Amino acid sequence: MIYNVAQLDRVFLEIGPLTIYWYGVIIATGAAIGLWLAMKEADRLRLNKEILIDFIVFAVPIAIIFARIYYVIFEWERYATGPWWGVFAIWEGGIAIHGAVIGGVLTAIVFARVKNISFWQLADILAPSLILAQAIGRWGNFMNQEAHGGPIAEESIAAFYRVLPDFIMNQMTIDGVTYHPTFLYESTWNILVFILLLLLRRMNVLRGEIFLSYIIFYSIGRYFIEGMRTDSLYVVGELRAAQLLSILLIILGIILIIYRRKTTNVRYNDVPLSEKKSTKYHNKASKKKKRK
């Protein structure tokens, strides 16, 4: 059976020598929607939105840098033999979400210390935004025809076409071979995790549990989907980096939830994350006035 649907162009816009790719547009769109969602939540909680904006200004570029560094480290042999600028050619794809998460978490820890706010509350507010941005960002992989799985069995291709739109299946057909759209599997899983996090938010769970649930459930899905992919980064031999890290994150997330349930009773909606309303900031301001 032959399916004759034009494949999608990776290029979004060309202005003279400047080429803008769909990959970057989709990633940026996911980040923008995630920020909008976080700002809406800040409004709901009557928090100081400037804190979130300040954090995003630092976190986004650092997360992208870490995502690229993570990818290049595990693909160093490929980049070592190519042109030096290939290391920076992020528009061609090649960023790892685990690297972005590591960079974002480290930034949040430092930022929370500097601002004297709760890391866990900051992480809880941003977790749904992060998983939604990841769900959207996977479509950038789709446009680049990457992050796909192995070939779909010939006898199953027709069944896939009956379930999925032609444009998805055709874009996943590369050099005459149709591959599993694992980008779609992960995007769908991330949407389900996003819904779960919103439900946990409504339940007003203990502070930190929304973020830790994101870590655990995203890692569960990533572990199984990673096993289907053909472009995995490897640690040693056939050991996939994403699967190893997913296992470690699941274990760490469970341990931290158990620990926090024994050491805190502060819930998600408690103690506003606001420089203007926070007791700590209020006390500091009062002391300064007294000194004057």
Side-chain angles (χ1 to χ4, degrees):
M1 186 178 294
I2 299 175
Y3 299 95
N4 210 3
V5 182
Q7 290 188 327
L8 302 175
D9 192 348
R10 294 174 54 208
V11 177
F12 171 74
L13 181 65
E14 288 184 298
I15 306 175
L18 177 63
T19 302
I20 301 174
Y21 292 89
W22 273 109
Y23 182 85
V25 171
I26 292 172
I27 295 293
T29 299
I33 293 175
L35 175 59
W36 174 82
L37 183 68
M39 299 291 278
K40 293 288 288 184
E41 179 64 2
D43 275 337
R44 186 185 74 82
L45 297 175
R46 297 180 181 179
L47 305 180
N48 185 354
K49 294 186 290 186
E50 292 179 4
I51 294 177
L52 294 179
I53 295 173
D54 289 345
F55 172 70
I56 293 299
V57 167
F58 289 105
V60 170
I62 292 174
I64 292 174
I65 291 170
F66 269 75
R68 185 61 175 176
I69 290 174
Y70 185 101
Y71 183 86
V72 171
I73 286 174
F74 287 103
E75 289 284 292
W76 179 245
E77 289 184 7
R78 190 177 91 183
Y79 289 102
T81 56
W84 65 268
W85 52 263
V87 172
F88 304 97
I90 197 170
W91 55 87
E92 295 182 354
I95 59 174
I97 187 59
H98 277 136
V101 171
I102 291 171
V105 170
L106 291 177
T107 304
I109 292 172
V110 174
F111 182 85
R113 277 185 167 275
V114 171
K115 290 289 187 178
N116 197 22
I117 58 177
S118 167
F119 160 78
W120 293 110
Q121 190 175 33
L122 177 64
D124 279 349
I125 291 172
L126 292 172
S129 297
L130 180 56
I131 195 67
L132 181 60
Q134 289 176 232
I136 296 170
R138 277 301 174 198
W139 287 85
N141 298 130
F142 164 71
M143 294 302 298
N144 276 0
Q145 294 183 303
E146 61 187 9
H148 56 71
I152 298 175
E154 186 67 30
E155 60 272 17
S156 302
I157 293 177
F160 270 84
Y161 265 96
R162 283 197 294 270
V163 175
L164 299 177
D166 286 358
F167 78 93
I168 290 180
M169 295 304 298
N170 192 72
Q171 192 74 355
M172 289 293 97
T173 300
I174 305 168
D175 296 329
V177 179
T178 304
Y179 295 92
H180 278 277
T182 46
F183 84 91
L184 179 62
Y185 304 160
E186 185 169 330
S187 181
T188 303
W189 175 257
N190 289 349
I191 291 293
L192 294 176
V193 176
F194 169 71
I195 294 171
L196 171 65
L197 298 186
L198 293 185
L199 291 175
L200 292 176
R201 177 184 282 178
R202 291 179 64 87
M203 292 168 61
N204 194 26
V205 295
L206 289 176
R207 182 174 294 174
E209 289 195 3
I210 295 175
F211 173 69
L212 293 173
S213 295
Y214 152 72
I215 292 294
I216 292 170
F217 286 99
Y218 167 69
S219 297
I220 290 173
R222 181 61 187 271
Y223 176 86
F224 289 103
I225 295 169
E226 187 69 23
M228 302 175 64
R229 287 174 55 170
T230 59
D231 62 343
S232 296
L233 302 175
Y234 292 88
V235 181
V236 179
E238 294 301 311
L239 180 60
R240 301 173 191 247
Q243 288 186 314
L244 174 61
L245 188 55
S246 292
I247 292 172
L248 295 177
L249 288 175
I250 292 169
I251 295 171
L252 178 62
I254 293 172
I255 291 173
L256 286 175
I257 284 179
I258 294 173
Y259 173 77
R260 288 191 60 75
R261 286 188 176 184
K262 292 182 178 180
T263 58
T264 184
N265 59 2
V266 179
R267 296 195 170 270
Y268 174 71
N269 289 324
D270 296 344
V271 189
L273 175 68
S274 170
E275 291 182 325
K276 295 179 181 178
K277 298 179 181 179
S278 170
T279 303
K280 292 182 178 179
Y281 279 100
H282 177 73
N283 290 340
K284 285 185 177 181
S286 299
K287 289 179 181 178
K288 287 182 179 179
K289 289 180 179 179
K290 288 180 180 179
R291 289 174 185 172
K292 291 180 179 179

